[in-house]
Amino acid sequence: MKNEYTPIGELGKKVGEKVNLRGWIYRTRSSKDMTFLVLRDSTGTVQCIVKEGAKGFDDAQKALRESSLMLSGTVHEDPRAPTGIEIRVNDLEIVGWAETFPLKEGTNPEVLLDKRHLSIRSRKISTTLKIRSTILGAIHEFFRERGFYEVQSPSITKMACEGGSTLFKLDYFGEEAYLTQSWQLHAEAGIHALEKLYCIAPAFRAEKSRTRMHLAEYWTAEAELAWCTHEESLKLQEDMISHVVQTVLKKHSKELQELGADIKKLEKVKGPFKRVPYREVLEILKKDGIRMKWGDDLTGLQEKALSKHFQKPFFITNWPKEAKAFYMLENPKDKRTVLCADLEAPDGFGELIGGSARETDNKRLMANMKLHKIDPKPYEWYLDIRKFGSVPHAGFGLGIERLTMWICNLDHIRDAIEFPRTINRVYP
Ligand code: 4AD
Ligand code: MG
């Protein structure tokens, strides 16, 4: 067989021609003198007909679903075929014989997760992974076009960026260390050299809760900017989300439809997004008969109820100091609050982004650490930054799986990543 292979997605341009294909059997059905198989590659599926007399016919009859193969044949238009195209096969060779595939429609979700190394071949997961790849590409494009430098940050640290309750402890050559919750604190050092930074990396949270929104290892796109105000940071977040959503729509409208995403609603995702002070959130929820007191974080149910009031993503701004991390800048207009915002997705898909302006005053940082009961020792270097030409700055972190989950309309965050890590799953 020749070395040139046509991706299945490009067969529409090759009607009447001879082609070589390679892929996996998606479905197969045989009669005495004919085998119908649907071949799958990463670009699509196509129906192939192998008649008695074709080279490899006997193997085609025996091969089970997910066997890999190479074939050559001619491309025919056929309105009865699901994609309007059919391959009449002359020559077929099995590359990897498959045993009986253990997964089928209706398989228990836990089994699908135990066999994740196989279930990623499913249409739903592979389509989601393609969209996720486009999302990451669009984020890189967004930052690079705006003159940001991409940096990489350590995954092993001595610090609890987002508080001690979700830290993964690590034995670092006899010393206690942690898997990082966020690159942010190191990024705050970097802006004094590069001014505008971004980083796309894994973050780790020992989340004890089993929710459809939490992973123990997730990916985050974080940005940090020197000379940046809180409002400028919000504008940048708006532009980034709009750019990503519009890029995905342009490239994947067919796939989004397949996943059941609301395309009309996604088309409207363009800035500005509403800014709702935390104080107003309490009032909105109260009117809905939902109690939440000053200082509380939103539960999933509260997020869902609140999001019913908004068609597009919306910011919750000016949170109470005690509800947020020690590094956030005090709000000069209301000292009980900090200049921060969470960007919430519509339809109860939860928090997409957390961000804030940063405190640059070491006295106030020390006081905040005391408030949050943080030992200042591992943070000495962080405080040191402020002693050498500190500047106003701000930044934010986006959860890649949350964004993917919302855009693709997924029921559970685990389907937004290839191999999910949750409280009860670190295999495969
Ligand atoms: O709101 P978070 O905790 O903010 C930070 O980590 C800041 N240091 C970011 C910054 O300012 N540079 O996390 C950021 C985002 C959340 O908005 C959410 O989308 C996602 O990360 N996230 C999670 N995603 C999946 N599973 C989890 N357990 C997550 N925890 C946070
Ligand atoms: Mg947050």
Side-chain angles (χ1 to χ4, degrees):
M1 236 173 259
K2 272 188 260 134
N3 273 331
E4 231 172 73
Y5 294 89
T6 303
I8 290 173
E10 290 174 21
L11 285 172
K13 292 182 267 179
K14 302 255 176 179
V15 174
E17 291 181 36
K18 273 200 78 174
V19 292
N20 299 313
L21 304 180
R22 55 187 171 187
W24 292 263
I25 298 178
Y26 187 59
R27 268 198 303 270
T28 177
R29 169 165 68 84
S30 286
S31 61
K32 205 159 69 66
D33 53 0
M34 195 140 43
T35 297
F36 285 93
L37 49 91
V38 176
L39 191 70
R40 162 182 76 75
D41 71 6
S42 64
T43 66
T45 55
V46 67
Q47 179 170 297
C48 306
I49 297 193
V50 196
K51 284 194 181 154
E52 193 168 17
K55 204 167 155 210
F57 172 74
D58 289 345
D59 285 348
Q61 290 238 307
K62 279 185 284 187
L64 301 180
R65 189 182 148 202
E66 291 305 322
S67 297
S68 54
L69 59 81
M70 300 189 289
L71 62 76
S72 64
T74 40
V75 185
H76 289 261
E77 263 176 325
D78 185 342
R80 288 165 307 173
T83 56
I85 281 177
E86 182 184 273
I87 306 294
R88 298 194 188 149
V89 177
N90 304 319
D91 185 346
L92 174 146
E93 188 187 317
I94 302 295
V95 177
W97 291 90
E99 298 176 17
T100 303
F101 201 61
L103 311 177
K104 52 180 183 287
E105 218 168 306
T107 298
N108 177 306
E110 280 305 312
V111 177
L112 290 179
L113 286 164
D114 288 339
K115 302 259 180 218
R116 187 70 164 188
H117 50 291
L118 301 177
S119 61
I120 45 175
R121 301 181 189 192
S122 77
R123 186 109 174 172
K124 181 177 171 192
I125 305 288
S126 57
T127 300
T128 305
L129 292 176
K130 285 178 197 170
I131 294 175
R132 179 189 164 108
S133 169
T134 298
I135 289 173
L136 284 159
I139 294 171
H140 280 293
E141 186 179 78
F142 177 85
F143 283 123
R144 285 167 181 271
E145 271 174 7
R146 282 161 185 75
F148 281 70
Y149 293 100
E150 182 184 4
V151 300
Q152 286 73 37
S153 177
S155 293
I156 303 173
T157 86
K158 291 288 287 177
M159 305 154 87
C161 183
E162 301 299 322
S165 64
T166 63
L167 277 180
F168 274 112
K169 228 187 272 174
L170 195 78
D171 175 4
Y172 192 75
F173 306 111
E175 191 180 337
E176 184 169 310
Y178 313 107
L179 292 177
T180 192
Q181 295 171 316
S182 163
W183 81 316
Q184 179 201 318
L185 304 181
H186 290 91
E188 287 188 59
I191 53 150
H192 299 82
L194 301 172
E195 298 194 37
K196 298 203 291 187
L197 313 183
Y198 81 100
C199 174
I200 301 183
F204 304 89
R205 306 274 170 112
E207 299 281 359
K208 310 286 186 309
S209 51
R210 291 158 209 258
T211 79
R212 64 182 201 111
M213 309 292 252
H214 289 94
L215 293 166
E217 177 178 11
Y218 70 95
W219 280 72
T220 168
E222 300 193 82
E224 194 72 26
L225 300 94
W227 315 106
C228 181
T229 65
H230 180 50
E231 183 49 38
E232 284 165 345
S233 168
L234 296 189
K235 174 81 176 63
L236 192 72
Q237 295 171 44
E238 252 164 28
D239 290 348
M240 177 183 70
I241 294 292
S242 311
H243 173 73
V244 171
V245 170
Q246 298 312 318
T247 304
V248 172
L249 278 169
K250 233 182 265 164
K251 202 166 166 189
H252 295 290
S253 63
K254 211 179 93 215
E255 286 92 339
L256 287 171
Q257 243 156 347
E258 233 175 72
L259 291 169
D262 190 336
I263 302 224
K264 284 260 148 28
K265 216 163 169 183
L266 288 172
E267 278 168 353
K268 290 191 195 123
V269 177
K270 290 182 184 151
F273 301 152
K274 286 221 171 82
R275 285 122 169 88
V276 191
Y278 178 90
R279 174 177 41 76
E280 275 178 34
V281 167
L282 299 190
E283 285 161 22
I284 297 172
L285 289 176
K286 196 173 166 193
K287 275 190 202 142
D288 288 348
I290 299 167
R291 268 198 54 200
M292 181 175 155
K293 66 174 196 308
W294 181 265
D296 284 351
D297 202 356
L298 285 161
T299 63
L301 284 174
Q302 288 163 338
E303 275 179 320
K304 194 161 184 188
L306 184 66
S307 73
K308 294 218 169 87
H309 296 266
F310 303 90
Q311 289 301 306
K312 292 198 286 185
F314 58 99
F315 290 108
I316 305 177
T317 62
N318 299 358
W319 286 67
K321 214 178 218 178
E322 60 273 27
K324 287 292 178 190
F326 76 97
Y327 52 72
M328 294 190 179
L329 184 64
E330 193 174 89
N331 179 2
K333 292 192 185 132
D334 176 2
K335 290 193 187 315
R336 293 182 313 153
T337 64
V338 280
L339 287 181
C340 72
D342 287 355
L343 183 69
E344 288 282 326
D347 300 315
F349 280 95
E351 183 194 320
L352 300 174
I353 300 181
S356 75
R358 317 303 193 192
E359 183 59 76
T360 54
D361 181 283
N362 272 348
K363 276 202 201 86
R364 276 205 293 264
L365 277 171
M366 291 292 283
N368 291 350
M369 285 196 218
K370 211 167 165 188
L371 176 74
H372 290 279
K373 299 192 173 66
I374 296 171
D375 170 15
K377 183 82 180 120
Y379 296 82
E380 268 169 11
W381 68 266
Y382 182 73
L383 299 170
D384 210 33
I385 305 169
R386 271 71 179 161
K387 298 178 193 161
F388 301 93
S390 191
V391 294
H393 61 288
F396 58 86
L398 160 80
I400 298 290
E401 291 77 18
R402 294 271 180 92
L403 181 63
T404 307
M405 184 185 174
W406 163 54
I407 291 178
C408 295
N409 189 34
L410 305 176
D411 296 331
H412 201 292
I413 195 166
R414 65 188 172 214
D415 285 338
I417 188 163
E418 203 176 9
F419 291 99
R421 297 289 178 250
T422 55
I423 186 166
N424 52 359
R425 183 162 296 281
V426 65
Y427 172 94

